[in-house]
Each structure stands twice: as C-alpha cells, then as structure tokens.
Amino acid sequence: MKEQDPTPSDCSGLDFDGEYGRNYRRSIRNSVPGYDSLIEISAAALLQAVPQAAAILVVGPGLGEELVPLLTALPQTRFTLLEPSTQMREACTREIAAAGAAARCELLAQSLEADLDPPGGPFDAVVCHNVVHLTPPESQLDLLQTLATCVQPGGVLMLSAHSEPADGTAFESLLAIACTRLRQRGLPETMIEQLKASRNTLVFSLDQAQLEAGLAAAGMEPPLLLQQSLFSRLWLCRRPA
C-alpha cells in the first residue's frame, strides 16, 4: 500500500505480491524523497506524543522497515498491523521476529477501508504511511475520517502521503526538481516518464485543505506538518483529550 515502483514492468500497477513488492525497498526511496528521515521522525514524534501508549494501529506496514523503529521506541506497546499483501506480510513477520517483538504484534490480512473497525481499538496512535494517496480524492475523505475514528481521546494520527501544492507554478517547480533528483539517482527517462504518468492514475494527491476539513469533521486538531520533501508530506494529528 505504497508508492509505485519506477521499473517499467511495475508502473502498470501496484502488485505488492509481485515484482513491485520484491523491489519495494529500493523503489520507495526513489518515489518518496526523505523516506528514511520520515521513518526516523515518525518514531521520535510518537515517543514524544504518546510515550505510554498501550496500543498502536499501523495501516500498511509493508516490509516492516517502518515498524522496527516504533517497536524500539515503544517497547511496552502492543501493535495491530493491517497489511493485505501476502509478500509484504511475510517480510514484515521476519522483521518483527528479528526485533523480538512477535508477542506484542498482531498482523492482519486487511486493507484500509471506509468504516474500518480493527480489533483492539480505539488506539493511542494510528500510523498510516503512503496509503491514502493510493485512493482517488473522492474517497480520501472517508478514509481520513475512518483513520481518525480509530484514535482515542488524547491520541494521535501519524499520516504521510503524496500531496501537491494548490499553486500551479509551485507544482511545476517541484516536479522539475523531482525529475532532476531521479536522474541523479540513475533512473532513465522512460522510467521517469512512467512515474509522471502515474499521477492521478495510480497515485492521487492528498489535498491539504481536504485533509484539514476531514480531520476537523472527525473532531481532530489541525494537522502539524513535520516534514515536507518535494511532494511527500508527513503530518501529526492529535485528538483532544
């Protein structure tokens, strides 16, 4: 449940149980600039916001790479993990076992859907990285409100997504920089064009105004922007106690 892989065979769809999933560890760092710092900041922000968290929901843990710092930062917390891909779940299970955290993780074969009601909720925190933008804008509001509903009073939602500026000039400038970055990383022009073509077909921008409206309607405080790297944004959203 993440960004698209920049290889020709994988840009036609997001097959997390196929070639895309096998190349995910590399491709996510191409498509999400600042991915490693996003993981680091997320763990620090959760430790600061909910240091005594009893239960956390992680939507789309993927290979488990994003999960390990959370397990380390919050060693007493129980985690409910929703991951529909078999290949991703298998890799995530190995990461959890290597971290010695199998006893406090429940990994479910489930995806993010409207009206989701995972076991163990509501949670002290909900973590959802690079998932909402895989849904068209007309469905994103329902998903945002579903995620917010899973957060208990005093808890937080940690959310990252592809998010484009409303200003067209700013968008064009960021797009040009993003393409130059990919060239510097060694991607050929054919792959860069395929990534660009995935916009509004595989990956859909999460509009800042819609994010704020959706969270407000669900009783959450305004989102705090923790990181922006080109089109990738990371927010912390709190529910009042």
Side-chain angles (χ1 to χ4, degrees):
M1 297 189 291
K2 308 289 180 180
E3 291 277 1
Q4 74 281 10
D5 187 7
T7 59
S9 61
D10 300 328
C11 281
S12 60
L14 297 176
D15 183 7
F16 290 93
D17 284 314
E19 189 67 18
Y20 169 65
R22 287 189 288 274
N23 290 326
Y24 179 77
R25 203 177 300 273
R26 168 182 55 82
S27 65
I28 191 65
R29 287 170 170 80
N30 288 333
S31 54
V32 178
Y35 177 72
D36 291 294
S37 61
L38 182 151
I39 295 175
E40 179 183 340
I41 291 170
S42 295
L46 286 180
L47 179 58
Q48 190 280 327
V50 287
Q52 304 302 321
I56 290 179
L57 173 68
V58 180
V59 179
L63 299 177
E65 191 174 20
E66 302 164 4
L67 180 63
V68 172
L70 302 182
L71 295 172
T72 302
L74 299 162
Q76 305 304 317
T77 304
R78 294 189 59 83
F79 289 81
T80 299
L81 316 170
L82 306 185
E83 177 53 67
S85 163
T86 299
Q87 184 169 235
M88 293 292 190
R89 285 198 310 276
E90 290 174 351
C92 190
T93 298
R94 291 192 293 271
E95 292 282 1
I96 292 170
R104 56 192 182 98
C105 291
E106 182 178 13
L107 183 55
L108 305 177
Q110 191 171 353
S111 60
L112 174 61
E113 301 174 352
D115 301 320
L116 177 71
D117 185 20
F123 299 88
D124 297 293
V126 174
V127 179
C128 184
H129 289 316
N130 302 311
V131 175
V132 174
H133 64 216
L134 300 181
T135 302
E138 60 269 20
S139 302
Q140 289 176 354
L141 185 60
D142 287 341
L143 296 184
L144 288 171
Q145 293 182 342
T146 294
L147 289 170
T149 299
C150 293
V151 180
Q152 72 173 358
V156 296
L157 167 62
M158 182 71 64
L159 178 69
S160 66
H162 176 89
S163 181
E164 300 172 3
D167 179 81
T169 301
F171 168 78
E172 292 298 333
S173 295
L174 290 175
L175 180 61
I177 295 170
C179 291
T180 299
R181 170 183 173 269
L182 293 175
R183 293 184 189 104
Q184 290 176 321
R185 291 178 68 86
L187 272 69
E189 291 299 320
T190 53
M191 295 183 186
I192 294 173
E193 289 302 315
Q194 287 171 339
L195 279 174
K196 289 166 64 178
S198 70
R199 178 175 175 260
N200 295 323
T201 58
L202 296 176
V203 175
F204 306 85
S205 175
L206 174 56
D207 181 70
Q208 176 78 24
Q210 175 153 294
L211 171 65
E212 294 173 356
L215 293 176
M220 303 283 285
E221 295 178 357
L224 174 64
L225 181 63
L226 299 182
Q227 174 177 302
Q228 178 173 355
S229 300
L230 299 177
F231 297 120
S232 176
R233 300 191 194 187
L234 171 67
W235 299 275
L236 180 69
C237 320
R238 184 178 293 277
R239 178 177 293 284

